[in-house]
Amino acid sequence: MSNPSTDAQVPGDGLPRCPWAGDDPLYRHYHDQEWGRPVVSDTRLFEKICLEGFQSGLSWITILRKRENFRAAFHGFDIPRVAAMTEADVERLLGDAGIIRHRGKIVATIHNAGKALELQREFGSLAAYFWRFETRPEHRPDDLSWPALRLLAQTDASRALSKDLRKRGFKFVGPTTCYAFMQAMGLVNDHTDDCFCRAVVETERDQFKRPLPASA
């Protein structure tokens, strides 16, 4: 939910949406079909935490428009394949105009893939690890209006996730980045109280089977 428009825009279908969705068809589709829906796929979770790192300092729509290029560049975010990438791959990607050509973020993505493999070995899956940080209902604000949510850049849960990831050696995973990740992957439902997706996402979250660590 980065760098959203401050003006509410209701697309032609008349459905009320979170104001940040704007009127860009790609952004609206992302808002309607992806953002906030609970995710259990390790590939998608890894992709998102990486892309949130690339997004730092930019708007999410910039990354969204380049997402297919990122997927091609990083082997569909297949974790073992990304972890096996080399300095030669880094140099190659620095010449790829289809992605964000930032050496530190490219290197961090490859590095974080190795750390993600460690999490999979410890917890059985990335999903089992990340869903441990789901925000408890009693820790959610009562006010879910746009003015309130647009000021909520991080939470206790995102700070805890960021701290733990950094302790484990992950890079580009600050608390604001982690909160954007949690919002997008359904660990919290931050659709505004008047958005048509809010009830849909809440139903999906109610029916969602939380992954458990392998040792549980």
Side-chain angles (χ1 to χ4, degrees):
M1 197 168 66
S2 306
N3 297 333
S5 167
T6 55
D7 298 319
Q9 299 179 46
V10 180
D13 58 16
L15 293 172
R17 288 175 171 83
C18 300
W20 60 263
D23 57 3
D24 183 290
L26 181 64
Y27 219 9
R28 288 206 310 265
H29 183 271
Y30 175 73
H31 168 275
D32 293 358
Q33 302 298 327
E34 293 189 46
W35 197 79
R37 309 293 178 105
V39 173
V40 75
S41 163
D42 278 13
T43 301
R44 285 193 59 201
L45 291 165
F46 177 65
E47 174 188 86
K48 185 59 176 174
I49 199 71
C50 293
L51 292 183
E52 286 295 347
F54 274 102
Q55 184 272 327
S56 180
L58 303 168
S59 64
W60 174 245
I61 188 60
T62 298
I63 303 300
L64 189 60
R65 287 171 179 154
K66 294 176 178 287
R67 185 166 62 171
E68 292 305 319
N69 296 331
F70 275 107
R71 287 172 173 169
F74 288 103
H75 306 296
F77 289 94
D78 178 86
I79 299 171
R81 293 187 68 186
V82 176
M85 292 174 74
T86 66
E87 179 61 28
D89 292 302
V90 174
E91 294 301 322
R92 174 177 55 82
L93 293 183
L94 285 172
D96 187 343
I99 66 170
I100 303 301
R101 292 177 287 182
H102 184 292
R103 176 180 288 275
K105 293 176 181 180
I106 292 170
V107 171
T109 297
I110 298 169
H111 169 83
N112 288 350
K115 297 302 177 182
L117 290 175
E118 293 177 9
L119 286 179
Q120 287 179 323
R121 287 192 289 268
E122 181 177 351
F123 293 93
S125 68
L126 280 189
Y129 169 77
F130 280 123
W131 278 90
R132 294 163 62 240
F133 294 90
E134 180 182 10
T135 305
R136 296 176 61 85
E138 61 268 26
H139 294 160
R140 297 294 295 139
D142 293 329
D143 186 356
L144 296 172
S145 66
W146 174 237
L149 287 174
R150 69 187 296 265
L151 297 176
L152 192 62
Q154 54 182 259
T155 63
D156 288 344
S158 77
R159 286 186 283 270
L161 174 57
S162 172
K163 181 179 179 180
D164 195 71
L165 284 172
R166 287 184 290 187
K167 183 178 70 175
R168 294 172 181 275
F170 279 76
K171 299 178 180 179
F172 286 96
V173 287
T176 300
T177 293
C178 284
Y179 189 46
F181 165 82
M182 296 170 77
Q183 290 174 307
M185 298 287 96
L187 278 79
V188 62
N189 183 1
D190 269 358
H191 284 281
T192 56
D193 51 13
D194 58 349
C195 175
F196 86 95
C197 286
R198 177 160 190 83
V200 176
V201 168
E202 203 58 31
T203 297
E204 287 194 16
R205 281 174 43 80
D206 287 343
Q207 297 173 349
F208 179 68
K209 184 176 181 180
R210 273 65 174 168
L212 297 174
S215 59

